[in-house]
């Protein structure tokens, strides 16, 4: 069952789904696109570690399998499920959104806040340990190219 929470403007804010959805033509309506849209909310600013990518893909496939009406015990590959539903991988879409956002920021004038933040280089010493993964590193070296 898919439930949608809305705000005063009646824009979908979050979608909750359960694995009991068994309607084969569910993907033909707005339900699948709404769930995918909600899953990508503000994704252009995410910095995903490998563990985050794995969890995102697992959540996506759990939802898509419930839409198709199959379980993991049916041994159907993820690519086949995506092909049957005619949807792209959520991770590929996230990377595309990031690239589009980066190109948009690069076209901005120098006085815009996103441009100032994107061009910011901190001064001083960094803390000890492995450096944190930065957003710009994912743009220059996409994981799912």
């Amino acid at each position: 069952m898919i439930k949608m929470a809305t705000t005063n403007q009646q824009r979908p804010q979050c979608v909750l789904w359960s694995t009991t959805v068994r309607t084969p033509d569910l993907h033909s309506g707005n339900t699948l696109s709404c769930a995918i849209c909600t899953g990508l909310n503000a994704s252009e600013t995410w910095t995903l570690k490998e563990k985050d990518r794995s969890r995102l893909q697992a959540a996506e496939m759990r939802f898509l399998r419930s839409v198709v009406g199959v379980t993991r015990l049916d041994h159907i590959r993820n690519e086949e499920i995506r092909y049957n539903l005619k949807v792209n991988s959520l991770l590929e879409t996230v990377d595309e959104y990031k690239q589009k956002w980066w190109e948009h920021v690069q076209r901005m004038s120098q006085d815009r806040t996103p441009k100032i933040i994107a061009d910011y280089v901190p001064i001083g010493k960094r803390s000890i340990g492995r450096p944190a993964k930065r957003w710009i590193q994912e743009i220059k070296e996409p994981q799912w190219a």
Side-chain angles (χ1 to χ4, degrees), residues 103-120:
E103 292 168 2
H104 176 66
V105 168
Q106 292 305 309
R107 290 189 303 267
M108 290 181 183
S109 63
Q110 293 296 327
D111 58 337
R112 299 277 310 271
T113 304
K115 179 74 170 180
I116 293 169
I117 292 171
D119 293 341
Y120 175 73

Side-chain angles (χ1 to χ4, degrees), residues 2 8 12 15 20 24-25 27 54 91 112 119 124 127:
I2 296 186
N8 295 341
V15 174
T20 58
D25 62 343
H27 67 278
S54 177
L91 294 172
R112 299 277 310 271
D119 293 341
S127 60

Side-chain angles (χ1 to χ4, degrees), residues 6 25 27 67 95 108 144:
T6 57
D25 62 343
H27 67 278
V67 168
D95 288 338
M108 290 181 183
W144 300 90

Side-chain angles (χ1 to χ4, degrees), residues 9 18-19 22 24 31 33 40 42 62 65-66 68 72 76 79 81 88 90 97 99 112 118 123 126 134 139 145:
Q9 295 85 13
S18 69
T19 57
R22 297 288 182 226
T31 307
S33 60
L40 294 173
R62 187 169 38 248
R65 285 180 193 282
S66 70
V68 174
R72 291 188 65 208
I76 299 175
E79 294 83 18
I81 292 173
N88 293 332
L90 207 58
Y97 280 13
Q99 188 63 38
R112 299 277 310 271
I123 29 180
R126 68 171 184 85
R134 305 284 184 214
I139 297 300

